[in-house]
Amino acid sequence: MISSRNYGITAFAFIYLGFLYLPILFLPLFSFNDGVIVAFPIKGFSTRWYSTLMSIEALHDALWNSLRVAVSTSILATILGVFGARAFTRYRFPGRTALTSFVMVPLVLPEIIVAISLLIVLIKSGVGLSLVSVTLGHVLLCMPFAMAVLISSFEGLDQSLEEASFDLGESAAWTFWRVILPIVAPGIIASLLITFTISLDEFIVAFFLAGTDPTLPVYIWSQLRFAARLPSVLALGSIMLFASFILLWLAEMLRRKSQARSGRSGGII
Amino acid sequence: MTSIPAEKVATDPSPARPRTAWRSSDAAKGLTLISPPVLFAIALLAIPIISTFTYSFWTQDYLVVDTTITFANYYQAWTEPIYRLLMTRSVVVSALVTVITVLLAYPMAYFVAFHVRERQALWLFLITIPFWTSYLLRVFTWKVILGFNGVLNSGLIWLGLIEEPLDFLLYNASAVIITLAHAWAAFAILPIYVSLRKIDRSLLEAATDLGDGPIRRFWRITLPLSMPGIIGAALIIFIPTVSDYVTPALVGGPDGLMIANMIQVQFGKANNWPLGSALAVSAMLIVTILSLTFVIGARRFARSAR
């Protein structure tokens, strides 16, 4: 049903999509360029920027820091999200909407406000700055995303399954472990992946709270000043681009599987 | 913003028990379950924000913090030209980014919602992929593209279109606007798409049957009904971009710096946390007031157009 006046909007859609992708595609393009200056014309194909990455120790430390923070963040945020989502979808209690909205507030707060507020409290209470403080900040930022994903996953639960389990003599804890958890497992894994990705990429809070242990984005930030380091940064960026693409693709597959299980269409978007 | 799904009324699992007792136990279970995330948010959100607020009324002289309550920081933040300039620029740049991004995102969302038949999920996936790459690198790429010896200039010279590099591309407010309009595009497209998808197609047919042309139909049906998506998109972009730190720092240059950069300076080099707090609270206040005004205005428009 393509009428003549649809061509305009179709052309626009493709051009706009191109605009969204073009800058991203420069990362891999120039990461394989055999030259220090990031400019046209392309000098030739080289993988040397990728091999230099192997020898930068500060980068490896930063990556290791980021991975530890991201793994801890995703587990903590998802556990807290499971509590919140379960409470919201299963029980009626006073302040249900207000309390849930309160947990969601970090979504609508400028990140720099979150960062400086945490900085003040952590310094003044004597806790100090470390990867632990970065993790705490990231859990706060990731909790709303975990909640949103998990609420949509818990909503598909058929309560009669739970009742059947009770009738057959299972305790509440065992029912959660053996009946509910397997059904919402894809949602939980999707939440773990999404919060992991957000934490891995988060810059501002880490920038303010990292202290002497930089995470990967904080390390990259420190390298952006040096022109000679640019191509290696582009190589690193290309690897990260590829990695986040794989993670998201996995998350999307799991989300679809979870929806197929609970028999619903639509999703978080 | 993530919308909280419609309430689901839990059905009573054991009707034999007295209703009030069941209710109270249900309430107790719900409150117990939700308390871990709520307590976490109180400890790491409510208390820190209150601390920032308190700090903004104190003063600091080098390392000594004077806890006498004063409005001096706010007076400074709202009267000194440099802070006024940065605040105004932040709001103007962010408002322009919001308008441009929504104007570009709307036709895209419209295209996916109304013209793509089979592969809507694929289109949405394609739109979101670029936005899951590192924010830092996404912004940084624009510096590489727009720079004096950057990709765009070198490409144009290589193609023989220009002789000398163009120097007005990078390090100004326009570079910040272009970069942000790119960085936040998906956050505008998705909510608008969702609201367009929700429109009951029979309303559009009815409008056509009653003699509305395509433009009138769009103005009276599609646009007002997609207003929640537009409002959502505008807020999702406006709120974080006003206080974006990375983009002005990387591509803004001295003429493109915004309020977040100044807040960072106050917490870093200048070491004046109270003033930094006052700037942050002021920014938060301005963002809140402007957002509320916008939401009310947009809702009015949606109602009057119908």
Side-chain angles (χ1 to χ4, degrees):
Chain A
M1 208 196 79
I2 290 181
S3 67
S4 61
R5 73 163 190 278
N6 289 347
Y7 288 128
I9 196 168
T10 309
F12 171 83
F14 277 96
I15 293 169
Y16 193 42
L17 197 66
F19 166 72
L20 298 184
Y21 271 87
L22 201 63
I24 312 298
L25 295 179
F26 281 126
L27 283 179
L29 179 67
F30 283 101
S31 73
F32 287 112
N33 183 25
D34 191 14
V36 180
I37 299 160
V38 183
F40 284 110
I42 304 272
K43 295 255 163 46
F45 180 83
S46 160
T47 54
R48 68 176 155 131
W49 303 119
Y50 287 88
S51 42
T52 51
L53 289 181
M54 310 302 278
S55 60
I56 308 172
E57 215 151 279
L59 166 70
H60 301 164
D61 293 344
L63 177 64
W64 176 234
N65 289 343
S66 263
L67 287 175
R68 280 190 294 169
V69 169
V71 168
S72 323
T73 299
S74 63
I75 293 171
L76 285 171
T78 302
I79 290 175
L80 289 169
V82 166
F83 277 102
R86 178 73 176 149
F88 183 80
T89 52
R90 172 65 178 78
Y91 298 103
R92 318 249 327 128
F93 53 92
R96 173 171 168 270
T97 320
L99 290 173
T100 311
S101 310
F102 171 61
V103 175
M104 294 289 191
V105 162
L107 279 182
V108 293
L109 266 188
E111 265 186 56
I112 194 155
I113 309 274
V114 175
I116 60 156
S117 302
L118 282 169
L119 179 74
I120 290 179
V121 165
L122 289 167
I123 294 287
K124 292 301 155 188
S125 65
V127 176
L129 303 181
S130 64
L131 291 178
V132 176
S133 52
V134 178
T135 309
L136 290 174
H138 281 185
V139 172
L140 182 74
L141 293 180
C142 289
M143 208 161 52
F145 292 93
M147 283 271 277
V149 172
L150 290 164
I151 282 174
S152 94
S153 160
F154 275 77
E155 274 204 320
L157 268 182
D158 185 353
Q159 210 178 303
S160 55
L161 288 173
E162 204 182 316
E163 284 161 26
S165 168
F166 282 133
D167 290 346
L168 293 168
E170 287 279 37
S171 66
W174 273 104
T175 301
F176 187 79
W177 184 248
R178 296 198 8 184
V179 179
I180 297 170
L181 216 50
I183 299 174
V184 298
I188 288 177
I189 295 170
S191 159
L192 286 171
L193 288 176
I194 287 170
T195 49
F196 178 85
T197 316
I198 294 171
S199 166
L200 203 61
D201 184 38
E202 203 286 329
F203 171 68
I204 286 292
V205 168
F207 181 52
F208 276 86
L209 303 183
T212 50
D213 287 323
T215 61
L216 193 56
V218 177
Y219 171 78
I220 293 176
W221 178 259
S222 71
Q223 298 303 299
L224 293 181
R225 277 174 291 162
F226 309 111
R229 298 277 176 81
L230 273 193
S232 335
V233 171
L234 295 184
L236 180 62
S238 310
I239 296 174
M240 287 163 68
L241 177 74
F242 185 69
S244 53
F245 176 76
I246 298 290
L247 274 179
L248 280 165
W249 183 75
L250 274 175
E252 174 68 14
M253 289 300 124
L254 285 163
R255 196 180 62 77
R256 286 190 186 177
K257 206 171 152 192
S258 136
Q259 266 165 9
R261 258 195 223 192
S262 59
R264 285 164 64 247
S265 59
I268 45 170
I269 48 170
Chain B
M1 265 173 296
T2 311
S3 63
I4 295 157
E7 299 195 358
K8 268 210 161 174
V9 181
T11 47
D12 191 340
S14 51
R17 268 187 281 165
R19 192 173 164 74
T20 47
W22 173 78
R23 272 224 170 225
S24 70
S25 89
D26 206 42
K29 275 183 198 161
L31 283 171
T32 317
L33 265 180
I34 206 160
S35 58
V38 168
L39 290 176
F40 188 85
I42 289 174
L44 285 132
L45 182 69
I47 294 175
I49 297 277
I50 292 167
S51 309
T52 307
F53 195 69
T54 317
Y55 237 88
S56 69
F57 292 103
W58 293 348
T59 43
Q60 184 170 358
D61 185 21
Y62 189 51
L63 287 176
V64 188
V65 176
D66 180 358
T67 56
T68 323
I69 302 292
T70 165
F71 283 92
N73 299 313
Y74 285 98
Y75 183 76
Q76 209 177 341
W78 287 81
T79 54
E80 272 186 34
I82 175 73
Y83 304 126
R84 291 175 73 146
L85 173 74
L86 289 176
M87 196 72 88
T88 320
R89 186 189 287 149
S90 303
V91 170
V92 170
V93 163
S94 179
L96 281 170
V97 168
T98 308
V99 171
I100 292 169
T101 314
V102 169
L103 282 179
L104 288 172
Y106 199 96
M108 183 67 160
Y110 190 93
F111 170 76
V112 180
F114 289 110
H115 292 303
V116 177
R117 297 255 173 264
E118 307 283 312
R119 301 191 171 274
Q120 291 201 352
L122 177 70
W123 268 88
L124 293 176
F125 192 54
L126 283 176
I127 288 166
T128 28
I129 289 173
F131 299 93
W132 286 97
T133 61
S134 160
Y135 183 67
L136 209 55
L137 288 173
R138 235 184 305 147
V139 172
F140 174 69
T141 329
W142 280 102
K143 183 175 171 168
V144 173
I145 293 171
L146 299 174
F148 189 74
N149 293 314
V151 172
L152 189 60
N153 272 328
S154 64
L156 290 173
I157 291 172
W158 188 42
L159 292 172
L161 293 174
I162 53 171
E163 301 271 306
E164 292 290 312
L166 309 169
D167 59 0
F168 57 83
L169 296 172
L170 192 63
Y171 298 134
N172 51 41
S174 327
V176 176
I177 293 174
I178 295 174
T179 306
L180 286 174
H182 174 264
W184 290 89
F187 299 90
I189 298 170
L190 293 181
I192 297 174
Y193 164 80
V194 170
S195 69
L196 285 171
R197 279 285 292 172
K198 280 189 189 147
I199 295 176
D200 188 347
R201 306 300 164 103
S202 58
L203 287 175
L204 299 174
E205 284 161 25
T208 316
D209 291 346
L210 293 169
D212 270 2
I215 294 170
R216 208 172 145 75
R217 187 183 70 179
F218 175 80
W219 190 251
R220 298 211 317 172
I221 312 279
T222 316
L223 189 60
L225 286 178
S226 59
M227 206 40 100
I230 296 177
I231 295 174
L235 293 181
I236 289 174
I237 297 169
F238 184 71
I239 294 172
T241 51
V242 170
S243 49
D244 189 48
Y245 172 80
V246 171
T247 310
L250 280 182
V251 303
D255 295 335
L257 287 181
M258 306 207 316
I259 196 67
N261 307 94
M262 184 50 87
I263 295 175
Q264 197 270 332
V265 167
Q266 297 302 334
F267 277 87
K269 267 184 241 153
N271 196 25
N272 190 345
W273 289 21
L275 180 59
S277 303
L279 290 170
V281 172
S282 305
M284 209 160 43
L285 208 68
I286 291 174
V287 169
T288 312
I289 291 170
L290 288 176
S291 304
L292 288 176
T293 317
F294 168 73
V295 169
I296 293 166
R299 286 212 177 126
R300 258 198 207 143
F301 163 77
R303 242 177 284 138
S304 68
R306 257 179 266 173

